[in-house]
C-alpha cells in the first residue's frame, strides 16, 4: 500500500510530542478560546494507526476510483487517471477520515423502536462498526447503481469526496500556474491547461453520478454546497482587494471554503448515511471542520519551514502567488511594513524575499502552529463529545473505540507532519 508513509509509533511516547498547551496561549485573541491545560495536552491525542485501520478497505476504494476515472477518449483517460495511478495517489486522508468516522459512529439500527442517538448521551440501537468481509472487496457496481448496504454508501461517499478533492487540485494548479504536485510535474504542464481543466470537470461529473446514486437528498445538498464553496473560496482569493487581503475575517472565511468545507460536510454526510441524528451529525461536521483548518494552517507553516523536496512543491509558493497566509498576517502585527506588501500581493521586486524575512523574524510561524494545534484540539474534543456506543458485541465496541482514537490521532498528525 503506497497511499501513506509508514506510521511512526515513536509518537506513543510523550517525550516525542511537542506540547499543544505550550503553543495555544499565544493565539487566544484569534481563536476566542482558553489555553489548553497540560492534562488536555497529554490525554487528547491517544496513539493509534489511523491509516492501518482502514488500509484494506481504502485499497478497495482506490481500485474502484481507478476504474471510475477511465474514458474511451485516450487523451481524457490519460489526464483523468494522472493522480489515481498507483504511487501517485497521495495519502488519501479524506477517504481515511470518512471510513474511520463511519466505524467510529457505527450504523444506526432503525429497526429498533427505542433507537435514538441523542438519548442521555448514549448512541443506542447501533449496529456493527466493523465492516463485513465483502465490504473490503472492490465495489464493481456501476456508478449509477444504488449501493445495497450502508457501508457501501459510505464508501461511495469517500470516493466522491476524493474525486472532488483531486478535481479541485487540477483546477488550482491551472489557476496558480503550478509546476509540481505530489512530487510529480503538474498535470497542466503535461497536457496543457485546457485538458487539465477538462480532466477536473470530468472527475466532477463522475463524482456527481456516484453522489446521485446514494439517493439521499440531504447528502446531495451537502456535497453540492461544497462545490459552491470551492468556487466561492477561489474567487475570493483571486479578486480580494488590498483591505480584504489584510483581513483575518476574509482569510479565515476563504480558508474554510477552500479547505475545510469538503471534509466537514462529507463527515456530516457519513453520519447521516449511518442513520444518526442532527446532534451527532453536527459533531462529525465539527470534527471535519477543525481537522481541515488544522491541516491548512500547518500547510501555511510548512510553506515557510518545510523542504521543497519533501513537500513535493516549492516553498514560499503562497507569497509568489500573492497570497498572505496566517504566518504573514501574524507577522504584520509585529512588522507593519508587511502591510503594503500584502496589499499589492508581493508583486514588486524583492517583496517575496522581504516578506519571508519578516515572517521568519517574527512569531508568525509559532502563532500559526498554535492556531493549528487549537483546531486539532477542538477536533479531538468533537470526538470526545460523540455519544457513547450502546449495543453490539465486545469486538464491535472495541473497533468503534479504536476508530475514535484514530480520529484523534489524525488531528495530532495534521499538525506534526513535515509534508
Amino acid at each position: 500500500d503506497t497511499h501513506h508513509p509508514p506510521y511512526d509509533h515513536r509518537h506513543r511516547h510523550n517525550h516525542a510530542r511537542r506540547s499543544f498547551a505550550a503553543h495555544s496561549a499565544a493565539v487566544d485573541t484569534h481563536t476566542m478560546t482558553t489555553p489548553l491545560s497540560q492534562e488536555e495536552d497529554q490525554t487528547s491525542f491517544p496513539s493509534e494507526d489511523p491509516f492501518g485501520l482502514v488500509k484494506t478497505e481504502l485499497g478497495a476504494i482506490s481500485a474502484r476510483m481507478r476504474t471510475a476515472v477511465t474514458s474511451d477518449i485516450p487523451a481524457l483517460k490519460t489526464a483523468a487517471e494522472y493522480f489515481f495511478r498507483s504511487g501517485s495517489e497521495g495519502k488519501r486522508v479524506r477517504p481515511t477520515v470518512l471510513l474511520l468516522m463511519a466505524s467510529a459512529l457505527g450504523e444506526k439500527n432503525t429497526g429498533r423502536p427505542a433507537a435514538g442517538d441523542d438519548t442521555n448521551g448514549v448512541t443506542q440501537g447501533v449496529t456493527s462498526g466493523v465492516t463485513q468481509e465483502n465490504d473490503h472487496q472492490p465495489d464493481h457496481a456501476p456508478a449509477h447503481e444504488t449501493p445495497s448496504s450502508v457501508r457501501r454508501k459510505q464508501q461511495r461517499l469517500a470516493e466522491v469526496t476524493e474525486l472532488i478533492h483531486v478535481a479541485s487540485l487540477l483546477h488550482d494548479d491551472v489557476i496558480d500556474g503550478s509546476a509540481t504536485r505530489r512530487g510529480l510535474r503538474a498535470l497542466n504542464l503535461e497536457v496543457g491547461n485546457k485538458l487539465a481543466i477538462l480532466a477536473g470537470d470530468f472527475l466532477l461529473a463522475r463524482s456527481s453520478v456516484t453522489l446521485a446514486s446514494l439517493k439521499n437528498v440531504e447528502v446531495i445538498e451537502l456535497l453540492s454546497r461544497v462545490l459552491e464553496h470551492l468556487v466561492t473560496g477561489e474567487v475570493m482569493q483571486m479578486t480580494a482587494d488590498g483591505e480584504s487581503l489584510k483581513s483575518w475575517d476574509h482569510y479565515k472565511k476563504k480558508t474554510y471554503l477552500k479547505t475545510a468545507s469538503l471534509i466537514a460536510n462529507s463527515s456530516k454526510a457519513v453520519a447521516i448515511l449511518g442513520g444518526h441524528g442532527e446532534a451527532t451529525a453536527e459533531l462529525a461536521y465539527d470534527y471535519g471542520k477543525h481537522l481541515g483548518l488544522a491541516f491548512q494552517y500547518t500547510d501555511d507553516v510548512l510553506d515557510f519551514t518545510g523542504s521543497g523536496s519533501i513537500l513535493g512543491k516549492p516553498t514560499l509558493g503562497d507569497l509568489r502567488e500573492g497570497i498572505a497566509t496566517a504566518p504573514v498576517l501574524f507577522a504584520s502585527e509585529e512588522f507593519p511594513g508587511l502591510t503594503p506588501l500584502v496589499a499589492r500581493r508581493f508583486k514588486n521586486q524583492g517583496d517575496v524575499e522581504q516578506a519571508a524575512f519578516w515572517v521568519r523574524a517574527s512569531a508568525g510561524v509559532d502563532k500559526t502552529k498554535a492556531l493549528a494545534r487549537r483546531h486539532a484540539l477542538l477536533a479531538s474534543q468533537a470526538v470526545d463529545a460523540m455519544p457513547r456506543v450502546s449495543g453490539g458485541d465486545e469486538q464491535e465496541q472495541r473497533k468503534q473505540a479504536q476508530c475514535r482514537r484514530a480520529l484523534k490521532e489524525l488531528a495530532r498528525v495534521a499538525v506534526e507532519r513535515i509534508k
Side-chain angles (χ1 to χ4, degrees):
D1 180 28
T2 57
H3 301 165
H4 57 85
Y7 185 76
D8 187 355
H9 289 282
R10 290 175 298 174
H11 290 305
R12 272 184 196 279
H13 303 292
N14 288 334
H15 64 74
R17 301 187 182 190
R18 289 169 289 178
S19 169
F20 280 72
H23 290 285
S24 65
V27 291
D28 283 349
T29 57
H30 292 285
T31 61
M32 308 303 288
T33 55
T34 56
L36 305 185
S37 68
Q38 191 64 37
E39 290 74 17
E40 285 177 309
D41 184 37
Q42 293 174 348
T43 62
S44 294
F45 301 92
S47 183
E48 195 69 68
D49 181 355
F51 298 101
L53 286 175
V54 296
K55 178 179 179 180
T56 303
E57 194 175 4
L58 189 61
I61 293 174
S62 296
R64 178 176 170 81
M65 283 193 290
R66 284 191 288 271
T67 301
V69 299
T70 58
S71 170
D72 294 335
I73 309 301
L76 183 57
K77 179 177 185 292
T78 299
E81 291 178 346
Y82 193 68
F83 286 123
F84 290 94
R85 299 171 299 172
S86 180
S88 62
E89 298 168 307
K91 295 182 288 296
R92 294 285 189 259
V93 170
R94 288 154 191 83
T96 297
V97 169
L98 299 185
L99 294 176
L100 290 172
M101 182 66 71
S103 292
L105 295 176
E107 296 173 18
K108 193 74 161 294
N109 184 350
T110 56
R112 297 188 187 182
D117 72 354
D118 301 317
T119 304
N120 297 322
V122 178
T123 297
Q124 298 181 357
V126 171
T127 57
S128 175
V130 184
T131 58
Q132 300 301 315
E133 188 67 29
N134 61 341
D135 288 339
H136 287 114
Q137 303 303 316
D139 179 3
H140 296 297
H144 66 273
E145 185 176 298
T146 301
S148 58
S149 72
V150 169
R151 189 68 180 200
R152 282 298 196 200
K153 289 180 180 180
Q154 292 169 325
Q155 290 174 352
R156 292 278 187 96
L157 181 66
E159 174 189 337
V160 167
T161 300
E162 187 67 10
L163 288 171
I164 291 173
H165 172 60
V166 174
S168 73
L169 297 183
L170 299 184
H171 288 165
D172 282 353
D173 286 348
V174 172
I175 293 169
D176 300 336
S178 300
T180 59
R181 172 71 69 178
R182 294 177 175 174
L184 303 173
R185 272 169 58 89
L187 180 63
N188 46 296
L189 295 187
E190 289 289 318
V191 302
N193 286 345
K194 291 182 179 179
L195 189 52
I197 290 172
L198 290 172
D201 293 344
F202 177 72
L203 296 182
L204 291 176
R206 286 294 172 90
S207 72
S208 297
V209 173
T210 301
L211 180 61
S213 76
L214 301 179
K215 299 191 184 306
N216 186 302
V217 174
E218 188 174 3
V219 168
I220 293 171
E221 288 178 350
L222 285 172
L223 272 294
S224 298
R225 192 175 303 138
V226 166
L227 296 177
E228 176 189 345
H229 287 173
L230 288 170
V231 175
T232 302
E234 188 62 47
V235 173
M236 284 180 65
Q237 181 168 286
M238 291 172 59
T239 63
D241 58 23
E243 285 303 311
S244 296
L245 291 170
K246 298 180 289 183
S247 165
W248 270 103
D249 288 341
H250 177 273
Y251 174 72
K252 289 190 285 187
K253 180 179 180 181
K254 179 204 72 174
T255 300
Y256 167 76
L257 294 173
K258 279 178 59 69
T259 304
S261 173
L262 176 58
I263 191 61
N265 284 291
S266 56
S267 294
K268 182 176 181 178
V270 156
I272 292 169
L273 289 174
H276 296 279
E278 183 65 21
T280 297
E282 284 301 320
L283 287 170
Y285 170 89
D286 288 343
Y287 173 84
K289 179 183 74 171
H290 291 298
L291 181 72
L293 293 173
F295 261 98
Q296 184 55 54
Y297 292 137
T298 301
D299 277 350
D300 292 350
V301 166
L302 292 175
D303 199 39
F304 288 95
T305 66
S307 162
S309 60
I310 294 175
L311 294 173
K313 58 182 179 181
T315 56
L316 302 183
D318 290 325
L319 290 179
R320 299 184 200 285
E321 292 166 16
I323 301 169
T325 56
V328 177
L329 295 180
F330 277 124
S332 67
E333 297 169 0
E334 298 180 49
F335 295 96
L338 255 176
T339 301
L341 277 64
V342 170
R344 64 176 180 250
R345 292 180 178 269
F346 316 105
K347 65 181 180 181
N348 290 357
Q349 185 173 3
D351 279 0
V352 169
E353 292 75 15
Q354 182 62 60
F357 174 81
W358 274 330
V359 168
R360 288 166 176 154
S362 74
V365 166
D366 285 340
K367 287 183 176 181
T368 304
K369 288 179 181 179
L371 187 57
R373 291 167 193 275
R374 167 54 59 183
H375 283 286
L377 179 72
L378 291 172
S380 177
Q381 290 173 341
V383 175
D384 288 336
M386 290 173 183
R388 300 193 311 278
V389 173
S390 173
D393 61 25
E394 184 178 345
Q395 179 186 2
E396 293 166 359
Q397 292 190 14
R398 184 164 58 247
K399 177 69 172 182
Q400 289 173 334
Q402 252 189 318
C403 290
R404 292 188 182 200
R405 290 195 300 272
L407 288 173
K408 296 170 74 171
E409 172 70 0
L410 270 178
R412 186 189 62 78
V413 170
V415 296
E416 294 195 355
R417 60 197 170 91
I418 61 172
K419 64 178 293 185

